[in-house]
Amino acid sequence: MTSTGPFGPLQFQLVLLRRMADHHPELVDDARRELGASLADMREANRRWQAMVRSPRARGTLSRYRSVLGPPERTFPRKAGDLECEALQWPVPLWPDLRFEAMAGPGGAVWNEWLVRAPGVAGPEPRTAEDLRPWSCTVDEVARAFPPARPMEGSAPTRLRLAFTLPGGGGAVADFTWGLLQGWTRG
């Protein structure tokens, strides 16, 4: 992989993985090798992504995703409370059962970016906390499986925490990066 070539879906997947490396470096290493990329490639992809995001000439978020990922596989309206949004989804070859989704509000401002289950793909149905293995579930899947669930702020813009109720009582908190489960703790 070269650092001077176009920034495309492969490099974007490396950016997703870079944020997950803090939680599960072993899973990230396996995924990176599956993509045929080195650790240096992942660092360079992240450096280039950050430069694109922070550039004074930066494109809008949706324009950036379209230039990197191509046209969305699927675009559809979605309501979030009273807000009319547009959801755009792109395939993520590393996780064929998932899609990268950007939610844009009025005027095209992106207010949520994460991995979701692909349409028509049956997701996991966790019944116990032990079913919550890293990279097995999305935010929505954990929230549906263990109500009531409450979103919490994560430690970075691409991270989210979800407080939920364990079967039989007791609370837990799940950690997500780009919407994909990284782990959970009791309490």
Side-chain angles (χ1 to χ4, degrees), residues 139-140 142-152 161-165 172:
V139 173
D140 288 342
V142 174
R144 277 194 308 271
F146 302 103
R150 179 178 48 88
M152 302 166 60
R161 302 187 91 205
L162 186 73
F164 64 97
T165 304

Side-chain angles (χ1 to χ4, degrees), residues 25-90:
E26 71 288 353
L27 291 176
V28 168
D29 285 345
D30 290 346
R32 182 180 45 73
R33 283 191 288 275
E34 184 179 325
L35 293 172
S38 69
L39 188 55
D41 293 332
M42 187 168 73
R43 285 188 195 120
E44 178 63 12
N46 191 62
R47 186 197 66 75
R48 290 177 66 195
W49 178 257
Q50 293 303 320
M52 281 190 278
V53 169
R54 292 188 172 107
S55 167
R57 299 180 316 275
R59 302 174 179 188
T61 305
L62 282 181
S63 294
R64 185 172 45 254
Y65 286 135
R66 284 186 171 111
S67 73
V68 168
L69 300 172
E73 176 183 80
R74 186 169 176 242
T75 302
F76 55 96
R78 182 182 289 164
K79 279 188 92 159
D82 292 337
L83 187 62
E84 296 286 337
C85 298
E86 180 179 45
L88 299 92
Q89 295 181 347
W90 289 268

Side-chain angles (χ1 to χ4, degrees), residues 163-187:
F164 64 97
T165 304
L166 292 166
V173 176
D175 288 295
F176 298 85
T177 301
W178 292 106
L180 192 59
L181 179 67
Q182 300 300 308
W184 64 275
T185 56
R186 292 184 188 276

